[in-house]
């Protein structure tokens, strides 16, 4: 499984990469902005999951997500939000994103659990995991 992290906070990205590598995900890469992510997908990269910060420095993160899904609809997208984010979760399905997580609540267990659940099909984007309020499905 190829996981791509898109966030301009290099420290946060390095922590996420270590968490995922320690959890057994061996193909984890990162980019510091959403525009580069769209360009990489256009060039032929095919991430299975994109973990993307909703706050992009060059362009709206939700616009980036729409572009990604238009290019590669099967890619699962996990949006990272701030605790006090003004992101309207109810609007996210129309932006074609799959899941969201609050950045400050990510730990060494729940992000790998979400990824394993998605790819073992124990949850899908139509089911909301009730026990874990840290991440939620958007559909």
């Amino acid at each position: 499984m190829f996981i791509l992290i898109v966030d301009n906070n290099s420290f946060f990205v390095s922590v996420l990469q270590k968490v995922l590598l320690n959890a057994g995900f061996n193909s984890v890469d990162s980019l510091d902005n959403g525009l580069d992510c769209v360009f990489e997908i256009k060039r032929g990269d095919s991430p299975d999951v994109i973990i993307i910060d909703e706050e992009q420095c060059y362009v709206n993160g939700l616009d980036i997500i729409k572009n990604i899904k238009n290019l590669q609809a099967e890619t699962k997208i996990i949006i990272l939000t701030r605790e006090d984010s003004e992101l309207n979760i109810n609007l996210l399905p129309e932006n074609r994103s799959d899941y969201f997580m609050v950045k400050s609540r990510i730990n060494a267990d729940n992000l790998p659990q979400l990824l394993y659940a998605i790819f073992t099909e124990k949850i899908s984007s139509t089911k909301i995991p009730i026990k874990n309020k840290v991440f939620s499905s958007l559909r």
Side-chain angles (χ1 to χ4, degrees):
M1 173 186 332
F2 173 33
I3 301 168
L4 182 61
I5 302 168
V6 182
D7 195 313
N8 63 350
N9 182 329
S10 59
F11 176 75
F12 183 75
V13 168
S14 68
V15 169
L16 280 187
Q17 286 177 315
K18 286 181 184 174
V19 163
L20 295 174
L21 291 169
N22 288 340
F25 296 97
N26 57 6
S27 185
V28 181
D29 202 357
S30 66
L31 294 168
D32 66 359
N33 69 76
L35 286 176
D36 285 346
C37 179
V38 171
F39 293 137
E40 289 297 315
I41 291 172
K42 283 183 177 181
R43 285 186 209 132
D45 275 1
S46 299
D48 297 298
V49 176
I50 296 174
I51 301 170
I52 186 168
D53 187 357
E54 71 165 303
E55 295 179 352
Q56 296 295 310
C57 50
Y58 299 121
V59 70
N60 182 310
L62 297 179
D63 290 338
I64 293 295
I65 292 164
K66 285 181 189 178
N67 279 295
I68 292 167
K69 284 295 195 172
N70 285 336
L71 293 167
Q72 196 168 328
E74 67 279 0
T75 298
K76 300 293 184 190
I77 296 180
I78 300 171
I79 299 176
L80 302 179
T81 66
R82 289 179 299 135
E83 191 83 46
D84 60 348
S85 172
E86 293 180 18
L87 184 65
N88 186 338
I89 300 304
N90 296 321
L91 296 177
L92 289 175
E94 72 185 47
N95 290 300
R96 302 173 65 194
S97 37
D98 300 295
Y99 304 91
F100 75 95
M101 293 186 82
V102 176
K103 277 179 127 175
S104 64
R105 295 186 186 173
I106 295 172
N107 62 44
D109 293 323
N110 60 24
L111 180 57
Q113 285 175 352
L114 174 58
L115 291 168
Y116 283 124
I118 290 169
F119 285 96
T120 59
E121 298 182 4
K122 290 185 179 177
I123 63 171
S124 71
S125 59
T126 59
K127 297 179 184 174
I128 298 175
I130 296 170
K131 292 184 179 180
N132 189 343
K133 297 292 182 183
V134 175
F135 63 85
S136 290
S137 169
L138 298 172
R139 295 185 193 168

